[in-house]
Amino acid sequence: MANEPLFPKNPDETQTSIMEATFDALAEYGYSDLTINRVSQHFDKSEGIIFYHYDGKDELLLDLLNYLLERVENGAIQLSNEASPKTHLRTLLDKTLPSADETQERDYEKVLIELRTQAIHDEDYRECFNRSHQGFRETVREIIEAGIETGDFNEVDPELVADFVMTLVSGEIFDRLTMNSNRMVRSELDSYIETRLLADQPN
Amino acid sequence: MANEPLFPKNPDETQTSIMEATFDALAEYGYSDLTINRVSQHFDKSEGIIFYHYDGKDELLLDLLNYLLERVENGAIQLSNEASPKTHLRTLLDKTLPSADETQERDYEKVLIELRTQAIHDEDYRECFNRSHQGFRETVREIIEAGIETGDFNEVDPELVADFVMTLVSGEIFDRLTMNSNRMVRSELDSYIETRLLADQPN
């Protein structure tokens, strides 16, 4: 995901420290074994301060989810308008698909998958993910649409291609976290882009 | 998924009844809110019988996972050798990708996603999913390989294509359960098959 650290090095706000402690505890224990007490073990102030700010685990986790998703949205790529749609799309995929095994990156995905599973049963979680997903999907759709307009891409359906790419990203993150797999879909995704979006192009 | 019901109509074994009760309770409450007591509410015998067979929630859930995955493996498609690789692949995808909104099918996927999230933290779950995933992936890989051999498919890398298809299936199931989305990746997946596997073919 984004290249900056998820949390500032010396957070000056208690709120941010609580977010970081919650993140670390969730990465360590998973949703169902998470307790406020375990969060407080990653927190350098007293457990009481967490309870002062939050009524319980779910309020705390929803806040963490919003914090994380906001960070992703702010870290979204800003390319100059001169970049071609093809470069734009590739840069977005480079940034999005899991690659290196960097610990915070894995933890970030782990935590997000834990929280997303809650969306099966909880409408509040579901809404957060919908909003974030729609934003990202819209970026992909716009790139495809721009590429068709400039003649860089074939005349595909931008909606369908955007959904297809989003599905691959979800599946790759989910599979890598829940199975022992070292596979990389990126190479075949590039072939898809090549044959489906670029094949009939003159260059 | 498979077309037969997940559980026999009149299970003559206590074990099967426990599996069904666990499945129903898990679909209703999710992993983290599941208790043996909630399972017993879906069970027509006493809670004591569940405790007689199982030490606790996780032993019970691992057994359910094995039961479900075994059922999927047994329900795997058996096509006659006369079917073309293209038909074979399409039939497999018809059977695998979520389509209709049938309740038991959705519950089945819901339950499997809940259990898979546990694999992030639990090696026992991870092993079950690895085994099942490898079996399914192997089927896809063999179909692609057969298609290349008969000249039905282009000379792609069967390993990469199998991973790509598996990733799409995972992503589609996960996204549909955790977001409000009515999208269908199947249509664009067919276009991928068309342009990537079949495009250079004479017919």
Side-chain angles (χ1 to χ4, degrees), chain A residues 15-71:
Chain A
Q15 199 75 9
T16 311
S17 304
I18 296 178
M19 292 293 94
E20 186 165 9
T22 309
F23 178 89
D24 290 340
L26 188 53
E28 185 173 348
Y29 297 106
Y31 177 90
S32 57
D33 290 333
L34 188 79
T35 58
I36 300 277
N37 183 264
R38 285 183 160 164
V39 172
S40 77
Q41 286 161 19
H42 288 272
F43 184 53
D44 55 5
K45 293 175 193 155
S46 85
E47 188 175 347
I49 293 181
I50 305 177
F51 279 114
Y52 175 80
H53 286 275
Y54 293 97
D55 279 341
K57 170 173 153 178
D58 267 310
E59 196 190 330
L60 179 57
L61 288 179
L62 265 176
D63 230 27
L64 174 65
L65 177 56
N66 276 307
Y67 177 93
L68 293 175
L69 293 181
E70 219 169 82
R71 228 195 124 278

Side-chain angles (χ1 to χ4, degrees), chain B residues 6 9 62 91 103 107-108 129 159 176 180 190 198 200:
Chain B
L6 282 172
K9 251 210 159 133
L62 264 175
T91 312
T103 312
D107 277 353
Y108 173 79
F129 281 111
E159 309 283 345
R176 279 173 64 102
N180 300 326
D190 283 339
L198 304 168
D200 303 335

